[in-house]
Structures are given as structure tokens and as C-alpha cells.
């Protein structure tokens, strides 16, 4: 018999009750449909707890052995999809404990000594998030590396940089996408700090006040790979900041991904046509045969909404809760699980999409010959020759207006035409109008010149190497 058996509906807390729960109480209480995903972490925590109970003399060796064997068996059954969960046993903790007792008898009933579901769930959630943080770290690192490679191999591509979505100044494509690398590197910092927030051990806090046993929390800490023991039992069972930290990380990352996706959508339009996405990441229309839609980018952009929603949902759940554990806290799970899944899916999706991007460098180059993209360079030319910048700005503005009125090509103005506006213009002025050379005139650190982009690439590659050599949050 697998899973909770004949007594499967018997509540583990049933002693003081004479009546049974109503159907709606059971339906509202049950979290097993979603918290079952914590089973590995719950079992890992229970094994460590049982070992600790053995060390302080509460479980003898045989009891410990049968508990560990029973838990391993349960884990294998859940892994194999044959474990039968019962929603009247509410949650993952009681499903596992009830099944354990059914398998091994009395010893199973001793497992919950010196423990409450309150410190148990606080433990499971931290263990779970520590593992997921490691997974997401790898995916995010992969994205940063991918963008770095794209930037490194397309250094020749020059495109318009925009403000207000109007052509502003020429920039290198590499510079543009490296801006996202920096965003994602900051996201990594937030992820690591969310991971760090999970490194305090709550187990041993009991329901709220601590337990009437000399629990060896140092042993539990080391055994479960935590870096510290949470010093206040009330804080330990009621703190969900570590989840908020993750949800905030996920929201900021989602916002960055959404901005990048917006650019992908824009750049892949016929009007922009700076990039082409491969067939495997575009979708067709059921009515318009010609369509190749960037659905993946739109979906990732859209999914940022649920990431923000999950953060606010948990904020709202927590904001009015008095100390310590309140059942409202059960509502932390779906938000977290959804954000974890959404972040992983989005990161995989964006990597697949970016790997498929083909750049249309010619089209990008054409576009820099628009909207007077080198007007600032021309104003700076005059300023360098001693004309105060405000004055040179005005002269250049007049040249732009003149070109608009007379339908002249700004980029092909002759020296004579320029001198009609200021006799400071000399032979070298014509060259300044060329958008192709504009990026290389940028001298400031962090600018879009090839040299400065080279420095960024070096910095980011070093950062990637250091990430590889630094230990994870999990040991
Ligand atoms: N399923 C519960 C949760 O997720 C576990 C803790 C229940 N504790 C309690 N006292 N009812 O929060």
C-alpha cells in the first residue's frame, strides 16, 4: 500500500477535536496540490531532524534507521509518481509524516518531537529557494555570457541610439546590448543576496517560542548547509523576507527582460528590420499567411506582469500579520513557485531567441543617416574651435532647420554650405557629419567607441570568470 492508507483521513492534530472538519474547511486548508513540490526538501529536513533527535537521545539507533529508510522510500515513491497524496492531510508535511507512521509504526510518531510545522515550513521554503537560486544563477549567467558573445562578435555594427524613440546619436549595437548585460549583472547581485537571505536556519524554533528540548541547532545548521542559526525563534517562524527578496529580484529581472523583448519586437518589424528571428522562435497567424510573429518576446514581456503581481500579492498577505505564524502565510507558496517557474522559462526563452537573432547590419547603417544623428558632433566641432557650446548649439540648429526647409541632405553638406552659417568651419568639418565615424569620436569612459566597448567586454568577461570560481550559496 502506498501513501497514507486506511487511516488516511485521520488528522495528525485530531486529539482535541470531537467533530470532523467540514468540506470547505478541508478545501480551504489544503495546500498539498501545490506544496507537494517541497517534498525533497521536507524529507531532507526531516532526516537531519531525526539525526539530531538521535544525537540528543530522543530517538534510538533503530528508530532513526527506520525513519530514514521510511523517508527515503517515500521520496522514491513520490519521485516515481506512485505516492498517493491526500488533501484531507492538508499539506506535504502531514502527508509524509502520516505515510511514514503507517509504514514504520511508533517510531514515525516520534519524528515530530521538538518540531512544529511552523519551523518545518520555514525550513522547507529556505531549502527550496536555495536550490532554485542555484539553478537560476546558472541560467542568468548563461544569458549574460550570450549577450557578451553577441557584443564581442558584432562590434562593427552601428545603429541609431534613441531617446524618446527618436533617432538621437549613432551607437554601436554592441554598446546597446551590453547595457542589458549590466542590468542582468545587477540582477545577479540581487539574486545572490536573495540566496544569502535563505542561509539562516529556522529549525529548532518550534511553533514560536523554542522547544522544551536541548535541540542541537548547530548540528542542524551544518548538516543542512546553512551559514547561521536564526537567533530569535519568533522571527524564524514568521519571517518571509527572503521570499520577498527573491520576488523583488524576479520583478526587476522581469522588467529588464520585458524592455529587451520590447526592443526585439520593435527591431524585428518590417519598418525597423534590424534583426530577423529564426523560424523556431516565431509563430504564424491562423489567417494571415505571411506573418512571422515574435510571440516569444511578447510572452516574456507579458510575463513580467505576473512577476510584479506575485511580489505585491505577498506584500499584501504579510503586511498586517501579527507575530508569529498565521495561516495566511500558506499563501506565500504559489506566488513564489510561479515566479520561480516564470523566471526560468523566461530566461530559457530569451536565450533561445537571442541565439537565433540575425543582424541586418546594412539596415542599421542606413538608419543612422536619419534625423540629423550627427548634429551634436557638429555642435561639438564648433565648441572645440572655441565657439561657446550654447552658441554652437544654436548655429547647428539653424543648419538643421535650413536642411529641413530646403530638403537638403544634412550628411552631404559641403564646406561652402557650412561656412554660410559660421566661418569657424574648416576643411575637417565635413568629415564630422559622417555618422559612420561618429562612435569613434566618443572619448569619455563608458562611451560607445570601439576602445571603450573593449574595456566593457574585458570587465564583463572577468566578472564571468570570477562567478565561475566563486562558491555557490549551497555547499
Ligand atoms: N501548510 C502550512 C504552510 O504552508 C504549514 C504550516 C502550518 N502550521 C499551522 N500551524 N497550521 O504555511
Amino acid at each position: 500500500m502506498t501513501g497514507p492508507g486506511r487511516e488516511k483521513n485521520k488528522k495528525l492534530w485530531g486529539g482535541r477535536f470531537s467533530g470532523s472538519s467540514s468540506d470547505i474547511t478541508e478545501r480551504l486548508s489544503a495546500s498539498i496540490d501545490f506544496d507537494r513540490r517541497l517534498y525533497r526538501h521536507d524529507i531532507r529536513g526531516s532526516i537531519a531532524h531525526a539525526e539530531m533527535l538521535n544525537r540528543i537521545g530522543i530517538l534510538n539507533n533503530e528508530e532513526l534507521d527506520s525513519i530514514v529508510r521510511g523517508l527515503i522510500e517515500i521520496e522514491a515513491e513520490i519521485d516515481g509518481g506512485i505516492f498517493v497524496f491526500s488533501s484531507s492531510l492538508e499539506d506535504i508535511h502531514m502527508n509524509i509524516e502520516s505515510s511514514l507512521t503507517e509504514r514504520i509504526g511508533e517510531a514515525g510518531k516520534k519524528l515530530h518531537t521538538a518540531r512544529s510545522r511552523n519551523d518545518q515550513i520555514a525550513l522547507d521554503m529556505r531549502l527550496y529557494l536555495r536550490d532554485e537560486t542555484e539553478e537560476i544563477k546558472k541560467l542568468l549567467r548563461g544569458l549574460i555570457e550570450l549577450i557578451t558573445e553577441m557584443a564581442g562578435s558584432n562590434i562593427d555594427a552601428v545603429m541609431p541610439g534613441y531617446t524618446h524613440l527618436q533617432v538621437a546619436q549613432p551607437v554601436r549595437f554592441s554598446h546597446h546590448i551590453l547595457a542589458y548585460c549590466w542590468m542582468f549583472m545587477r540582477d545577479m547581485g540581487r539574486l545572490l543576496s536573495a540566496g544569502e537571505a535563505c542561509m539562516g536556519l529556522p529549525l529548532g524554533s518550534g511553533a514560536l517560542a523554542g522547544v522544551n528540548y536541548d535541540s542541537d541547532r548547530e548540528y542542524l545548521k551544518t548538516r543542512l548547509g546553512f551559514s547561521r542559526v536564526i537567533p530569535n525563534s519568533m522571527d524564524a517562524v514568521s519571517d518571509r523576507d527572503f521570499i520577498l527578496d527573491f520576488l523583488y529580484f524576479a520583478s526587476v529581472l522581469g522588467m529588464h527582460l520585458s524592455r529587451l523583448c520590447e526592443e526585439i519586437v520593435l527591431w524585428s518589424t518590417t519598418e525597423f528590420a534590424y534583426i530577423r528571428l529564426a523560424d523556431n522562435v516565431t509563430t504564424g497567424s491562423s489567417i494571415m499567411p505571411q506573418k512571422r510573429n515574435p510571440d516569444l518576446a511578447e510572452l516574456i514581456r507579458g510575463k513580467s506582469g505576473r512577476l510584479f503581481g506575485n511580489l505585491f500579492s505577498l506584500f499584501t498577505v504579510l503586511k498586517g500579520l501579527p507575530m508569529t505564524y498565521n495561516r495566511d502565510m500558506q499563501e506565500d507558496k504559489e506566488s513564489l513557485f510561479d515566479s520561480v517557474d516564470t523566471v526560468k522559462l523566461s530566461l530559457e526563452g530569451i536565450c533561445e531567441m537571442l541565439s537565433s537573432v540575425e543582424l541586418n547590419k546594412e539596415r542599421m547603417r542606413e538608419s543612422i543617416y536619419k534625423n540629423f544623428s550627427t548634429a551634436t558632433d557638429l555642435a561639438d566641432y564648433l565648441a572645440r574651435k572655441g565657439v561657446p557650446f550654447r552658441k554652437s548649439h544654436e548655429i547647428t540648429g539653424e543648419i538643421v532647420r535650413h536642411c529641413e526647409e530646403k530638403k537638403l541632405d544634412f550628411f552631404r553638406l559641403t564646406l561652402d554650405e557650412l561656412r554660410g552659417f559660421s566661418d569657424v568651419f574648416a576643411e575637417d568639418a565635413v568629415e564630422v557629419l559622417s555618422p559612420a565615424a561618429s562612435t569613434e569620436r566618443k572619448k569619455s569612459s563608458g562611451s560607445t567607441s570601439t576602445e571603450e566597448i573593449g574595456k566593457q567586454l574585458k570587465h564583463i568577461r572577468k566578472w564571468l570568470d570570477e562567478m565561475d570560481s566563486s562558491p555557490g550559496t549551497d555547499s
Side-chain angles (χ1 to χ4, degrees), residues 401-456:
R401 199 175 63 217
H402 172 78
C403 288
E404 269 183 344
E405 280 168 11
K406 302 273 181 263
K407 305 245 175 308
L408 292 175
D409 185 349
F410 178 76
F411 303 103
R412 287 174 199 271
L413 288 173
T414 62
L415 179 58
D416 280 350
E417 285 168 311
L418 288 174
R419 286 181 70 87
F421 293 87
S422 165
D423 53 15
V424 177
F425 285 119
E427 202 57 54
D428 53 354
V430 178
E431 143 73 12
V432 169
L433 291 171
S434 150
S438 170
T439 59
E440 299 315 295
R441 278 193 289 270
K442 300 288 172 290
K443 297 277 179 281
S444 53
S445 69
S447 76
T448 194
S449 68
T450 311
E451 192 180 333
E452 287 301 317
I453 293 172
K455 289 184 195 163
Q456 285 187 65

Side-chain angles (χ1 to χ4, degrees), residues 31 35 91 93 117-118 121 325 327 329-330 333:
S31 54
D35 70 12
D91 55 26
H93 322 300
R117 275 189 296 157
N118 297 353
I121 189 62
Y325 178 84
R327 194 62 183 274
M329 287 175 169
Q330 185 162 293
K333 284 167 203 61

Side-chain angles (χ1 to χ4, degrees), residues 123-139:
L123 173 74
D124 291 5
M125 293 295 271
R126 284 169 171 85
L127 289 175
Y128 164 79
L129 199 46
R130 271 170 41 187
D131 282 353
E132 292 295 355
T133 300
E134 286 304 309
E135 288 299 304
I136 293 170
K137 201 168 116 184
K138 285 182 215 144
L139 291 170

Side-chain angles (χ1 to χ4, degrees), residues 363-393:
R363 175 77 190 168
M364 289 179 179
R365 223 184 71 83
E366 275 164 33
S367 299
I368 55 179
Y369 288 86
K370 275 190 187 142
N371 202 28
F372 310 94
S373 66
T374 47
T376 316
D377 297 83
L378 199 64
D380 280 336
Y381 172 92
L382 291 173
R384 256 198 328 274
K385 303 246 165 172
V387 180
F389 185 76
R390 273 293 148 242
K391 182 72 192 154
S392 68
H393 186 285

Side-chain angles (χ1 to χ4, degrees), residues 230 273 275 432:
I230 300 179
I275 60 170
V432 169

